Amino acid sequence: MNSLKSAFLAVLVSATGMAGAVTTNLGLLSAGDTSFGNTFYSSGTFTDYYTFSIGANSSGAAGTLTDSDLSFFTRDVDVTKIVLSGGTLASAMSDGNADDGFSFTGLGAGAYTMALSVNVGSGFLTSGNYKGTIHAVLNATPTAPVASPAPEPADFAMALMGLAGVGYMVRRRSAR
């Protein structure tokens, strides 16, 4: 029975002491959503890093984010800031209000690192998490050239021939 108590205590201590910060590669982003997220078992401030690439046909990255609020069964998790660096950026870009989604535009093809600053509140034997999606913002596709609305000279010639034909028929009938 003593060993069972020790094992339970060891599991409890290890579960509450897990930091939970991650570094994850999301790969090459496309127009479809790529999911990311993390679960925290202890309170504190953490920074999670997500690396991704965007291709030549993309001009940015955008996404959504939801985090858990304090309740009896979850820890309060708050993503306070998102910082993007790397790729073609001369300096890091940040979004301090991730609750309304995030968007980084004017990006060129390359590899980027997105850092999420996360505050995790206290709770007893509970966890909290955040989940998000990210996708590439594709460049506008060029449209096909539109034909000019002005008629071609051949169209005028055909119209004049038609009018001349109708005029000839009217004159011929009226002569009878």
Side-chain angles (χ1 to χ4, degrees), residues 57 62 69 77 109 136 146:
N57 64 341
D69 293 323
V77 175
V146 177

Side-chain angles (χ1 to χ4, degrees), residues 29-87:
L29 296 185
S30 66
D33 286 338
T34 300
S35 298
F36 64 91
N38 196 3
T39 300
F40 298 91
Y41 297 96
S42 62
S43 60
T45 302
F46 305 98
T47 303
D48 288 350
Y49 297 94
Y50 294 94
T51 59
F52 61 88
S53 299
I54 61 172
N57 64 341
S58 301
S59 62
T64 60
L65 193 65
T66 56
D67 50 30
S68 60
D69 293 323
L70 182 63
S71 73
F72 183 72
F73 298 106
T74 61
R75 292 178 183 268
D76 183 28
V77 175
D78 187 27
V79 177
T80 58
K81 187 191 316 187
I82 300 174
V83 177
L84 186 68
S85 61

